Amino acid sequence: MIKGGACLGNSLTFIEQITPDFLAELYALSTEKAVSAGSVLYMDGDRADYLYLISSGQVKLTKTTVDGKELTLQVFGAGELVGLAGLFEANLTYDASAEMLEGGAVRPIPLAGLEQLLSSHGEYSVPFMRWMGMMNRRMQSKFRDLLLNGKVGALYSTLIRMCNTYGEERPDGIYIQLSLTNRDLAQFIGLTRESVNRMLADLKRQQVIDLLPHGHILIKDLRYLKETICCDDCPPEICRL
């Protein structure tokens, strides 16, 4: 199971990007409920009637390919909003599945209620659209790396994103506060566990990373990863998991 900690990057969560009044309105539309690890919030293809504001815990978004492979798209923590498939359209469906990685609490927000709120309070639309744009740029950036950089580049860019999302600076490198198996890591980039094992072993031999107990990774040479894939140095709020 993936477990996270504090972030190296300074990206703001969804609730930190909106006004207290807007947040209070969202709270009024929803009721907090407890959810256990492994619970499914929604499945790919389900009717998109709700968004989920995460109060605590972690949510993993995944997409399953036609040949049965599971690709992890993003991992979200407290303060984030998941489940937005669109606005002001009829018969929207979710384009991914959402599962609780760590138990916590969420607030289901009716999409119809959000649409009415944005229609009647134009001042809330600007920060919401800004957040939507940032999320789209984040996903486009990840897909670009997966498509253009090949298998090795996909792994390297994922490690860079982990640094920005879960990295802790230490004297000997950047400690990724995300405990995950090689299978978990493979699902972030659509590769087999065996391929990831070989690439991580190569990076360890080159002293670029160190593999620590309990599924943690220490990035000892971040510059090498960035230079190898000609990293664009996207802002931390974009270059994230």
Side-chain angles (χ1 to χ4, degrees):
M1 177 176 292
I2 301 173
K3 295 185 178 181
C7 304
L8 178 66
N10 57 0
S11 176
L12 299 177
T13 65
F14 170 75
I15 65 172
E16 291 171 330
Q17 298 179 59
I18 62 176
T19 64
D21 288 344
F22 188 8
L23 181 61
E25 293 281 3
L26 293 178
Y27 276 17
L29 287 173
S30 60
T31 300
E32 187 173 272
K33 68 173 187 177
V35 281
S36 58
S39 298
V40 176
L41 299 182
Y42 55 83
M43 295 293 293
D44 188 3
D46 287 350
R47 183 181 174 89
D49 290 328
Y50 292 90
L51 289 75
Y52 295 85
L53 186 60
I54 307 171
S55 300
S56 59
Q58 283 188 331
V59 175
K60 177 178 73 168
L61 295 189
T62 62
K63 186 78 174 181
T64 302
T65 63
V66 292
D67 57 354
K69 293 181 181 178
E70 184 179 278
L71 178 65
T72 300
L73 301 178
Q74 290 176 291
V75 176
F76 292 97
E80 295 289 4
L81 184 70
V82 300
L84 184 66
L87 288 171
F88 305 103
E89 297 180 48
N91 301 316
L92 287 169
T93 58
Y94 295 114
D95 56 7
S97 299
E99 176 186 344
M100 295 297 298
L101 278 175
E102 289 184 355
V106 299
R107 286 180 170 270
I109 299 172
L111 182 59
L114 173 64
E115 292 175 345
Q116 184 176 2
L117 181 62
L118 295 176
S119 295
S120 58
H121 293 79
E123 69 274 19
Y124 299 156
S125 298
V126 174
F128 193 83
M129 295 299 291
R130 184 183 300 118
W131 170 80
M132 285 182 62
M134 184 190 70
M135 297 303 294
N136 285 334
R137 289 175 61 197
R138 187 181 296 178
M139 188 60 69
Q140 289 171 4
S141 174
K142 178 173 182 177
F143 285 154
R144 178 201 62 200
D145 290 342
L146 292 176
L147 291 172
L148 299 181
N149 291 326
K151 294 181 178 180
V152 172
L155 174 63
Y156 289 11
S157 65
T158 299
L159 292 175
I160 294 169
R161 292 172 191 277
M162 288 180 175
C163 286
N164 289 333
T165 311
Y166 295 104
E168 175 190 307
E169 287 189 283
R170 293 187 175 183
D172 52 348
I174 299 175
Y175 175 73
I176 298 178
Q177 300 185 80
L178 189 68
S179 175
L180 70 170
T181 66
N182 287 357
R183 180 178 180 273
D184 293 328
L185 184 54
Q187 289 178 342
F188 276 105
I189 51 184
L191 298 179
T192 64
R193 179 177 56 83
E194 291 76 16
S195 296
V196 170
N197 288 346
R198 289 193 296 269
M199 288 188 283
L200 291 177
D202 287 341
L203 288 175
K204 183 176 181 180
R205 280 194 294 270
Q206 297 175 66
Q207 298 187 348
V208 176
I209 68 171
D210 198 4
L211 302 176
L212 306 178
H214 309 298
H216 291 284
I217 299 175
L218 179 72
I219 306 297
K220 301 170 68 175
D221 192 350
L222 182 61
R223 181 187 298 274
Y224 173 85
L225 298 177
K226 290 186 173 184
E227 289 180 348
T228 301
I229 64 171
C230 300
C231 179
D232 291 335
D233 277 325
C234 299
E237 64 269 17
I238 300 300
C239 186
R240 299 178 70 82
L241 288 183

